[in-house]
Amino acid sequence: MNATLRRSCLTLLSLSFAIYADFPAAQTYPARTIRVIVPFAPGGATDAVLRMLAPRLSENLGQQVVVENRPGGAATIGMDVVARSAPDGYTLGIANLTFSINPILLRKMPYDSDRDFALVSHIANVPFVLTVHPSVPAKSVRELIALAKARPGALNYSSSGPASATQMSTELFNYMTGTKMVHIPFTGGGPAIVAALSGEVSVYIGSIPTLQGHFKSGRLRPLGVTTATRDPAIPDVPTIAEAGVPGYEAREWQGVVVRAGTPPAVIARLNRELVKSLKAPDMKQRFAGVGAHVVGSTPEEFAEHIKKERNTWSKVIKAAGIRAE
């Protein structure tokens, strides 16, 4: 047997072993409980989305799916658990906006976001809404821009913390409009909303369900939805894009990842059952209750989403001089 033929045979043999090794994993998976690591404290939108999804996913996979909160370190503590887990599909991680921006913001991370994870599915988006305190003399997005430009540095805004989705959404607004509203960070969405309600800050961008009641009472004024289309929960509120900032789009999002090296057949099974769970007739309505909109994507579509997010936020982070704290 000549050298070329020998190499060809060895290559085919290696491929056969790889396919054979993957086959049992696909046939037997899952054979035990699956844990989902949410790298945030209980009670937020990301946690709520997964706790609604877990029972349906458990039903479709035929095994218990347990949600485990591992907050801290700008989501790096929880995601490090996933990065160090066995590549077998029994430990899932929940990625959100931090997954896109941490590689840009953090000098040192315990893992490599691109190398150490495999993407499974983009599961949901959470639209935000730009609001102002009633004392702010701006009844529209265009009026707010004019006011902020006339009084640079005089308007401030609250967020749920440094590098949070609420800060990033507002800094994108600053970046695209040339305004300079001042950031006042808080230790969560609750305190940030209280600051907006009291008039301590002029502007706040947050999730629709947490603010909707305050629109009805007149304690906050909605000016624009952050996504590309209007939200059915507040259909009379225009998007920021249509109200004066063409191309503006921001939102929180969630997706599922696993440890890199997880067999492709296992990832395919997870993706299939996740999408099936998300497309259940009642899931759309249940997600809407916490301000989330069902997505359900392929791994490739999820990769494109993350690429687009990183491109957007890298520009904003640089322009705003945002640093991890």
mmCIF file of all heavy atoms in Angstrom, residues 160-198:
data_model
loop_
_atom_site.group_PDB
_atom_site.id
_atom_site.type_symbol
_atom_site.label_atom_id
_atom_site.label_comp_id
_atom_site.label_asym_id
_atom_site.label_seq_id
_atom_site.Cartn_x
_atom_site.Cartn_y
_atom_site.Cartn_z
ATOM 1 N N SER A 160 -29.494 49.763 35.417
ATOM 2 C CA SER A 160 -29.456 48.703 36.427
ATOM 3 C C SER A 160 -28.030 48.302 36.779
ATOM 4 O O SER A 160 -27.824 47.360 37.541
ATOM 5 C CB SER A 160 -30.233 47.480 35.929
ATOM 6 O OG SER A 160 -29.714 47.029 34.696
ATOM 7 N N GLY A 161 -27.041 49.021 36.255
ATOM 8 C CA GLY A 161 -25.650 48.762 36.603
ATOM 9 C C GLY A 161 -24.717 49.025 35.443
ATOM 10 O O GLY A 161 -25.145 49.105 34.286
ATOM 11 N N PRO A 162 -23.423 49.194 35.724
ATOM 12 C CA PRO A 162 -22.444 49.429 34.666
ATOM 13 C C PRO A 162 -22.434 48.297 33.640
ATOM 14 O O PRO A 162 -22.457 47.120 33.998
ATOM 15 C CB PRO A 162 -21.109 49.488 35.432
ATOM 16 C CG PRO A 162 -21.481 49.850 36.828
ATOM 17 C CD PRO A 162 -22.807 49.197 37.070
ATOM 18 N N ALA A 163 -22.427 48.671 32.372
ATOM 19 C CA ALA A 163 -22.388 47.725 31.248
ATOM 20 C C ALA A 163 -23.633 46.850 31.164
ATOM 21 O O ALA A 163 -23.641 45.835 30.479
ATOM 22 C CB ALA A 163 -21.141 46.854 31.313
ATOM 23 N N SER A 164 -24.710 47.242 31.846
ATOM 24 C CA SER A 164 -25.982 46.513 31.741
ATOM 25 C C SER A 164 -26.648 46.843 30.415
ATOM 26 O O SER A 164 -26.277 47.805 29.726
ATOM 27 C CB SER A 164 -26.908 46.905 32.895
ATOM 28 O OG SER A 164 -27.233 48.289 32.810
ATOM 29 N N ALA A 165 -27.654 46.050 30.067
ATOM 30 C CA ALA A 165 -28.380 46.312 28.826
ATOM 31 C C ALA A 165 -29.059 47.671 28.864
ATOM 32 O O ALA A 165 -29.182 48.342 27.835
ATOM 33 C CB ALA A 165 -29.417 45.216 28.597
ATOM 34 N N THR A 166 -29.482 48.108 30.054
ATOM 35 C CA THR A 166 -30.137 49.415 30.157
ATOM 36 C C THR A 166 -29.144 50.548 29.908
ATOM 37 O O THR A 166 -29.472 51.540 29.249
ATOM 38 C CB THR A 166 -30.799 49.576 31.549
ATOM 39 O OG1 THR A 166 -29.847 49.275 32.574
ATOM 40 C CG2 THR A 166 -31.985 48.659 31.695
ATOM 41 N N GLN A 167 -27.913 50.409 30.414
ATOM 42 C CA GLN A 167 -26.908 51.427 30.112
ATOM 43 C C GLN A 167 -26.528 51.396 28.642
ATOM 44 O O GLN A 167 -26.451 52.445 27.979
ATOM 45 C CB GLN A 167 -25.637 51.255 30.941
ATOM 46 C CG GLN A 167 -24.633 52.385 30.630
ATOM 47 C CD GLN A 167 -23.205 52.111 31.082
ATOM 48 O OE1 GLN A 167 -22.879 51.022 31.550
ATOM 49 N NE2 GLN A 167 -22.346 53.104 30.947
ATOM 50 N N MET A 168 -26.280 50.187 28.111
ATOM 51 C CA MET A 168 -25.828 50.092 26.737
ATOM 52 C C MET A 168 -26.865 50.650 25.775
ATOM 53 O O MET A 168 -26.524 51.322 24.788
ATOM 54 C CB MET A 168 -25.516 48.631 26.398
ATOM 55 C CG MET A 168 -24.437 47.999 27.260
ATOM 56 S SD MET A 168 -22.866 48.881 27.243
ATOM 57 C CE MET A 168 -22.387 48.675 25.546
ATOM 58 N N SER A 169 -28.146 50.411 26.048
ATOM 59 C CA SER A 169 -29.213 50.926 25.181
ATOM 60 C C SER A 169 -29.225 52.450 25.168
ATOM 61 O O SER A 169 -29.437 53.071 24.119
ATOM 62 C CB SER A 169 -30.572 50.399 25.654
ATOM 63 O OG SER A 169 -30.621 49.000 25.573
ATOM 64 N N THR A 170 -28.991 53.050 26.342
ATOM 65 C CA THR A 170 -28.997 54.511 26.417
ATOM 66 C C THR A 170 -27.742 55.095 25.792
ATOM 67 O O THR A 170 -27.787 56.146 25.137
ATOM 68 C CB THR A 170 -29.132 54.983 27.876
ATOM 69 O OG1 THR A 170 -30.116 54.194 28.547
ATOM 70 C CG2 THR A 170 -29.569 56.447 27.939
ATOM 71 N N GLU A 171 -26.612 54.429 25.969
ATOM 72 C CA GLU A 171 -25.381 54.922 25.353
ATOM 73 C C GLU A 171 -25.427 54.785 23.835
ATOM 74 O O GLU A 171 -24.827 55.592 23.124
ATOM 75 C CB GLU A 171 -24.168 54.194 25.935
ATOM 76 C CG GLU A 171 -23.817 54.598 27.362
ATOM 77 C CD GLU A 171 -23.452 56.068 27.505
ATOM 78 O OE1 GLU A 171 -23.149 56.740 26.479
ATOM 79 O OE2 GLU A 171 -23.484 56.568 28.642
ATOM 80 N N LEU A 172 -26.151 53.788 23.340
ATOM 81 C CA LEU A 172 -26.352 53.694 21.894
ATOM 82 C C LEU A 172 -27.161 54.902 21.413
ATOM 83 O O LEU A 172 -26.882 55.471 20.344
ATOM 84 C CB LEU A 172 -27.078 52.397 21.536
ATOM 85 C CG LEU A 172 -27.392 52.192 20.047
ATOM 86 C CD1 LEU A 172 -26.119 52.133 19.211
ATOM 87 C CD2 LEU A 172 -28.221 50.918 19.832
ATOM 88 N N PHE A 173 -28.142 55.300 22.205
ATOM 89 C CA PHE A 173 -28.936 56.501 21.884
ATOM 90 C C PHE A 173 -28.024 57.730 21.861
ATOM 91 O O PHE A 173 -28.076 58.537 20.922
ATOM 92 C CB PHE A 173 -30.044 56.669 22.923
ATOM 93 C CG PHE A 173 -30.990 57.795 22.645
ATOM 94 C CD1 PHE A 173 -32.082 57.626 21.810
ATOM 95 C CD2 PHE A 173 -30.795 59.049 23.224
ATOM 96 C CE1 PHE A 173 -32.963 58.674 21.547
ATOM 97 C CE2 PHE A 173 -31.661 60.105 22.981
ATOM 98 C CZ PHE A 173 -32.757 59.909 22.135
ATOM 99 N N ASN A 174 -27.176 57.886 22.890
ATOM 100 C CA ASN A 174 -26.216 58.991 22.907
ATOM 101 C C ASN A 174 -25.322 58.965 21.667
ATOM 102 O O ASN A 174 -25.098 59.988 21.010
ATOM 103 C CB ASN A 174 -25.330 58.904 24.154
ATOM 104 C CG ASN A 174 -25.946 59.542 25.388
ATOM 105 O OD1 ASN A 174 -26.819 60.405 25.285
ATOM 106 N ND2 ASN A 174 -25.490 59.128 26.558
ATOM 107 N N TYR A 175 -24.819 57.778 21.357
ATOM 108 C CA TYR A 175 -23.882 57.601 20.247
ATOM 109 C C TYR A 175 -24.515 57.977 18.905
ATOM 110 O O TYR A 175 -23.894 58.672 18.081
ATOM 111 C CB TYR A 175 -23.421 56.141 20.230
ATOM 112 C CG TYR A 175 -22.548 55.741 19.069
ATOM 113 C CD1 TYR A 175 -21.220 56.153 18.988
ATOM 114 C CD2 TYR A 175 -23.053 54.928 18.044
ATOM 115 C CE1 TYR A 175 -20.420 55.761 17.925
ATOM 116 C CE2 TYR A 175 -22.255 54.539 16.985
ATOM 117 C CZ TYR A 175 -20.942 54.957 16.923
ATOM 118 O OH TYR A 175 -20.146 54.575 15.868
ATOM 119 N N MET A 176 -25.759 57.551 18.701
ATOM 120 C CA MET A 176 -26.404 57.766 17.411
ATOM 121 C C MET A 176 -26.998 59.165 17.258
ATOM 122 O O MET A 176 -27.254 59.604 16.134
ATOM 123 C CB MET A 176 -27.486 56.715 17.185
ATOM 124 C CG MET A 176 -26.937 55.305 17.035
ATOM 125 S SD MET A 176 -28.210 54.068 16.615
ATOM 126 C CE MET A 176 -28.620 54.553 14.928
ATOM 127 N N THR A 177 -27.227 59.858 18.375
ATOM 128 C CA THR A 177 -27.839 61.183 18.307
ATOM 129 C C THR A 177 -26.864 62.316 18.606
ATOM 130 O O THR A 177 -27.204 63.490 18.429
ATOM 131 C CB THR A 177 -29.011 61.288 19.300
ATOM 132 O OG1 THR A 177 -28.526 61.083 20.640
ATOM 133 C CG2 THR A 177 -30.091 60.269 18.977
ATOM 134 N N GLY A 178 -25.663 61.971 19.081
ATOM 135 C CA GLY A 178 -24.687 62.999 19.435
ATOM 136 C C GLY A 178 -25.032 63.726 20.724
ATOM 137 O O GLY A 178 -24.554 64.841 20.956
ATOM 138 N N THR A 179 -25.840 63.093 21.571
ATOM 139 C CA THR A 179 -26.195 63.687 22.858
ATOM 140 C C THR A 179 -25.235 63.196 23.943
ATOM 141 O O THR A 179 -24.477 62.251 23.747
ATOM 142 C CB THR A 179 -27.640 63.338 23.245
ATOM 143 O OG1 THR A 179 -27.808 61.915 23.176
ATOM 144 C CG2 THR A 179 -28.618 63.990 22.279
ATOM 145 N N LYS A 180 -25.303 63.846 25.122
ATOM 146 C CA LYS A 180 -24.386 63.489 26.216
ATOM 147 C C LYS A 180 -25.142 63.426 27.545
ATOM 148 O O LYS A 180 -24.836 64.157 28.482
ATOM 149 C CB LYS A 180 -23.241 64.500 26.308
ATOM 150 C CG LYS A 180 -22.328 64.512 25.089
ATOM 151 C CD LYS A 180 -21.138 65.426 25.290
ATOM 152 C CE LYS A 180 -20.231 65.449 24.066
ATOM 153 N NZ LYS A 180 -19.650 64.137 23.767
ATOM 154 N N MET A 181 -26.117 62.556 27.617
ATOM 155 C CA MET A 181 -26.808 62.343 28.881
ATOM 156 C C MET A 181 -25.885 61.583 29.827
ATOM 157 O O MET A 181 -25.141 60.704 29.406
ATOM 158 C CB MET A 181 -28.115 61.590 28.659
ATOM 159 C CG MET A 181 -29.129 62.362 27.819
ATOM 160 S SD MET A 181 -30.742 61.552 27.691
ATOM 161 C CE MET A 181 -30.315 60.154 26.641
ATOM 162 N N VAL A 182 -25.926 61.921 31.105
ATOM 163 C CA VAL A 182 -24.972 61.405 32.093
ATOM 164 C C VAL A 182 -25.509 60.135 32.757
ATOM 165 O O VAL A 182 -26.653 60.085 33.199
ATOM 166 C CB VAL A 182 -24.673 62.468 33.169
ATOM 167 C CG1 VAL A 182 -23.712 61.908 34.222
ATOM 168 C CG2 VAL A 182 -24.081 63.716 32.514
ATOM 169 N N HIS A 183 -24.650 59.138 32.856
ATOM 170 C CA HIS A 183 -25.024 57.841 33.418
ATOM 171 C C HIS A 183 -24.982 57.842 34.944
ATOM 172 O O HIS A 183 -23.986 58.207 35.549
ATOM 173 C CB HIS A 183 -24.058 56.771 32.887
ATOM 174 C CG HIS A 183 -24.340 55.399 33.394
ATOM 175 N ND1 HIS A 183 -23.340 54.493 33.697
ATOM 176 C CD2 HIS A 183 -25.510 54.766 33.660
ATOM 177 C CE1 HIS A 183 -23.878 53.363 34.107
ATOM 178 N NE2 HIS A 183 -25.185 53.496 34.107
ATOM 179 N N ILE A 184 -26.089 57.386 35.569
ATOM 180 C CA ILE A 184 -26.156 57.182 37.010
ATOM 181 C C ILE A 184 -26.489 55.707 37.246
ATOM 182 O O ILE A 184 -27.639 55.294 37.111
ATOM 183 C CB ILE A 184 -27.243 58.070 37.673
ATOM 184 C CG1 ILE A 184 -27.093 59.541 37.255
ATOM 185 C CG2 ILE A 184 -27.193 57.920 39.195
ATOM 186 C CD1 ILE A 184 -25.813 60.198 37.720
ATOM 187 N N PRO A 185 -25.490 54.885 37.561
ATOM 188 C CA PRO A 185 -25.744 53.444 37.713
ATOM 189 C C PRO A 185 -26.348 53.097 39.073
ATOM 190 O O PRO A 185 -26.048 53.740 40.085
ATOM 191 C CB PRO A 185 -24.353 52.827 37.569
ATOM 192 C CG PRO A 185 -23.426 53.895 38.062
ATOM 193 C CD PRO A 185 -24.052 55.210 37.693
ATOM 194 N N PHE A 186 -27.188 52.062 39.088
ATOM 195 C CA PHE A 186 -27.763 51.540 40.325
ATOM 196 C C PHE A 186 -27.470 50.042 40.409
ATOM 197 O O PHE A 186 -26.863 49.474 39.503
ATOM 198 C CB PHE A 186 -29.267 51.824 40.375
ATOM 199 C CG PHE A 186 -29.581 53.284 40.613
ATOM 200 C CD1 PHE A 186 -29.606 54.203 39.558
ATOM 201 C CD2 PHE A 186 -29.831 53.753 41.895
ATOM 202 C CE1 PHE A 186 -29.869 55.538 39.778
ATOM 203 C CE2 PHE A 186 -30.098 55.097 42.126
ATOM 204 C CZ PHE A 186 -30.119 55.992 41.070
ATOM 205 N N THR A 187 -27.907 49.425 41.480
ATOM 206 C CA THR A 187 -27.590 48.009 41.695
ATOM 207 C C THR A 187 -28.732 47.096 41.281
ATOM 208 O O THR A 187 -28.991 46.087 41.921
ATOM 209 C CB THR A 187 -27.242 47.758 43.176
ATOM 210 O OG1 THR A 187 -28.342 48.210 43.990
ATOM 211 C CG2 THR A 187 -25.976 48.482 43.572
ATOM 212 N N GLY A 188 -29.422 47.455 40.235
ATOM 213 C CA GLY A 188 -30.525 46.640 39.750
ATOM 214 C C GLY A 188 -31.590 47.491 39.102
ATOM 215 O O GLY A 188 -31.608 48.726 39.241
ATOM 216 N N GLY A 189 -32.513 46.810 38.409
ATOM 217 C CA GLY A 189 -33.569 47.534 37.712
ATOM 218 C C GLY A 189 -34.533 48.242 38.648
ATOM 219 O O GLY A 189 -35.012 49.339 38.347
ATOM 220 N N GLY A 190 -34.825 47.628 39.807
ATOM 221 C CA GLY A 190 -35.753 48.232 40.762
ATOM 222 C C GLY A 190 -35.318 49.617 41.212
ATOM 223 O O GLY A 190 -36.075 50.597 41.074
ATOM 224 N N PRO A 191 -34.104 49.766 41.767
ATOM 225 C CA PRO A 191 -33.632 51.085 42.181
ATOM 226 C C PRO A 191 -33.533 52.085 41.027
ATOM 227 O O PRO A 191 -33.768 53.284 41.213
ATOM 228 C CB PRO A 191 -32.249 50.796 42.769
ATOM 229 C CG PRO A 191 -32.301 49.366 43.176
ATOM 230 C CD PRO A 191 -33.177 48.694 42.162
ATOM 231 N N ALA A 192 -33.193 51.593 39.839
ATOM 232 C CA ALA A 192 -33.093 52.486 38.675
ATOM 233 C C ALA A 192 -34.456 53.065 38.316
ATOM 234 O O ALA A 192 -34.574 54.241 37.951
ATOM 235 C CB ALA A 192 -32.509 51.724 37.488
ATOM 236 N N ILE A 193 -35.498 52.237 38.424
ATOM 237 C CA ILE A 193 -36.863 52.713 38.155
ATOM 238 C C ILE A 193 -37.301 53.713 39.216
ATOM 239 O O ILE A 193 -37.901 54.753 38.903
ATOM 240 C CB ILE A 193 -37.841 51.527 38.078
ATOM 241 C CG1 ILE A 193 -37.532 50.655 36.863
ATOM 242 C CG2 ILE A 193 -39.290 52.019 38.007
ATOM 243 C CD1 ILE A 193 -38.306 49.351 36.828
ATOM 244 N N VAL A 194 -36.993 53.428 40.476
ATOM 245 C CA VAL A 194 -37.354 54.338 41.572
ATOM 246 C C VAL A 194 -36.732 55.714 41.338
ATOM 247 O O VAL A 194 -37.379 56.749 41.558
ATOM 248 C CB VAL A 194 -36.916 53.756 42.934
ATOM 249 C CG1 VAL A 194 -37.051 54.800 44.042
ATOM 250 C CG2 VAL A 194 -37.741 52.519 43.276
ATOM 251 N N ALA A 195 -35.494 55.734 40.883
ATOM 252 C CA ALA A 195 -34.814 57.007 40.612
ATOM 253 C C ALA A 195 -35.521 57.782 39.511
ATOM 254 O O ALA A 195 -35.636 59.017 39.573
ATOM 255 C CB ALA A 195 -33.364 56.750 40.221
ATOM 256 N N ALA A 196 -36.026 57.062 38.506
ATOM 257 C CA ALA A 196 -36.761 57.716 37.420
ATOM 258 C C ALA A 196 -38.115 58.217 37.913
ATOM 259 O O ALA A 196 -38.558 59.331 37.557
ATOM 260 C CB ALA A 196 -36.939 56.749 36.256
ATOM 261 N N LEU A 197 -38.784 57.427 38.734
ATOM 262 C CA LEU A 197 -40.100 57.819 39.251
ATOM 263 C C LEU A 197 -40.017 59.043 40.153
ATOM 264 O O LEU A 197 -40.917 59.889 40.159
ATOM 265 C CB LEU A 197 -40.729 56.653 40.025
ATOM 266 C CG LEU A 197 -41.148 55.434 39.206
ATOM 267 C CD1 LEU A 197 -41.519 54.273 40.121
ATOM 268 C CD2 LEU A 197 -42.324 55.784 38.292
ATOM 269 N N SER A 198 -38.948 59.148 40.917
ATOM 270 C CA SER A 198 -38.797 60.266 41.856
ATOM 271 C C SER A 198 -38.307 61.544 41.189
ATOM 272 O O SER A 198 -38.350 62.617 41.788
ATOM 273 C CB SER A 198 -37.814 59.872 42.967
ATOM 274 O OG SER A 198 -36.498 59.740 42.440
#
